[in-house]
Amino acid sequence: MGASDDTRDRPARLAVGVIGPGRVGSAVGAALERAGHRVEAATAVSEASRRRVAERLPGAEVMEAAEVVAASELVLLTVPDDALAPLVGGLAETGAPLGGRLLAHTSGSHGHGVLAPATAAGALPMALHPVMTFTGRPEDLDRLASCSFGVTAPEPLRPIAEALVVEMGAEPVWIDEDRRALYHAALAGGANHLVTLVAESREQLRAAGVADPGRMLGPLLGAALDNALRLGIDGLSGPVLRGDARTVQGHMAELRAHAPESVPAYVVLARLTADRALEAGLLKPHDAERLLDVLQA
């Protein structure tokens, strides 16, 4: 394969602007620079954002949002979900020069429809959502290079959107516009609730006298996650799978005594686990009935 074949489907080197250079925006901007693009401009309202621009996007000039648009060929809108629509509407209403510019946001819950006011003004819209958590630490950039991106764009822009993701070393996964909310609910339910569940387990183990809950949980949770990713519900283990209704009843009694705020989540998740195990043929109907009786108590 010749050099021309390697670059044929790649977008030209672009001048990039970042509106909202937080943990995500600064990491994506840095990843695009690593791929050969140039981050020319960024907004920075707070001292923290100015510091982040200086550290991660040192070639970027700090400007107002409309000026960032004017200075860029690709504009990243990396603001919180609820701020995205007002930002886009404001840029369109104030006459920012959107025509012909690639406009990409990183929100998981939105597709390209949220960019409609800018699209009407001539912008080329796309949603590029990195499926990764960001801490603001140096490892963010390396993690970004090995993750997936949920990509949504008008069909003519799909090759450009996917090529940008590939250039960052990540994997583009196409998400239809009308499935973005479901896609994001699945990710948030898996990742965010996982953190909450692990934090709950850590606290309860400490209450049970375990000095280092993380060390105890690490191998167990690592194996459980691996099993779930490879096998789905067939990777399930534990008392619900075995139909141990008395054990589940004992769990609930201890939680009521020591962590009553955890009881509702335990009940809901145990019921869901029982339903899924029953549907998969892993749990016998009479065992499921006994479990559900306990979980209703």
Side-chain angles (χ1 to χ4, degrees):
M1 179 180 291
S4 61
D5 294 324
D6 290 339
T7 58
R8 182 174 51 203
D9 295 326
R10 294 172 62 181
R13 303 303 87 191
L14 299 169
V16 179
V18 183
I19 298 178
R23 295 177 179 182
V24 178
S26 60
V28 174
L32 288 168
E33 284 211 319
R34 180 183 281 184
H37 301 287
R38 308 177 314 279
V39 178
E40 302 279 8
T43 60
V45 176
S46 67
E47 183 58 35
S49 61
R50 287 181 178 274
R51 185 170 58 251
R52 197 174 289 115
V53 169
E55 291 173 354
R56 286 192 166 183
L57 310 171
E61 183 178 351
V62 174
M63 303 177 178
E64 297 296 324
E67 295 173 321
V68 170
V69 173
S72 308
E73 297 163 304
L74 166 62
V75 183
L76 299 179
L77 305 180
T78 49
V79 298
D81 288 4
D82 289 351
L84 183 56
L87 170 62
V88 175
L91 290 173
E93 290 170 8
T94 56
L98 295 162
R101 285 168 171 79
L102 294 167
L103 198 64
H105 73 72
T106 57
S107 167
S109 60
H110 293 293
H112 64 82
V114 72
L115 303 176
T119 305
L124 306 174
M126 57 185 68
L128 306 177
H129 174 241
V131 185
M132 181 52 60
T133 60
F134 294 86
T135 64
R137 298 172 61 85
E139 59 265 25
D140 285 350
L141 192 55
D142 291 331
R143 288 175 174 171
L144 191 67
S146 61
C147 76
S148 299
F149 273 66
V151 175
T152 305
E155 192 62 35
L157 296 177
R158 179 171 179 173
I160 297 174
E162 293 181 339
L164 286 168
V165 172
V166 169
E167 284 192 316
M168 288 186 278
E171 179 185 3
V173 178
W174 184 257
I175 308 295
D176 288 337
E177 178 78 10
D178 62 355
R179 297 298 174 90
R180 288 291 294 202
L182 177 60
Y183 150 83
H184 193 241
L187 295 176
N192 302 157
H193 298 166
L194 176 62
V195 173
T196 303
L197 287 171
V198 174
E200 291 268 294
S201 293
R202 284 171 55 92
E203 291 175 9
Q204 291 160 18
L205 285 171
R206 284 195 185 280
V210 177
D212 190 351
R215 183 173 181 179
M216 178 177 282
L217 285 169
L220 173 67
L221 298 183
L225 179 60
D226 178 67
N227 289 340
L229 292 175
R230 289 187 301 107
L231 305 173
I233 196 64
D234 288 330
L236 182 65
S237 63
V240 171
L241 176 67
R242 295 190 297 268
D244 290 338
R246 289 184 180 178
T247 298
V248 171
Q249 190 173 36
H251 289 174
M252 293 171 61
E254 286 299 302
L255 289 174
R256 287 192 183 101
H258 299 286
E261 71 282 355
S262 299
V263 173
Y266 183 96
V267 169
V268 169
L269 288 171
R271 286 175 178 168
L272 181 60
T273 302
D275 288 343
R276 285 186 169 273
L278 180 62
E279 183 180 358
L282 302 174
L283 181 64
K284 296 178 181 179
H286 67 275
D287 287 334
E289 186 176 349
R290 289 190 300 110
L291 280 168
L292 293 175
D293 285 343
V294 166
L295 292 168
Q296 289 172 358

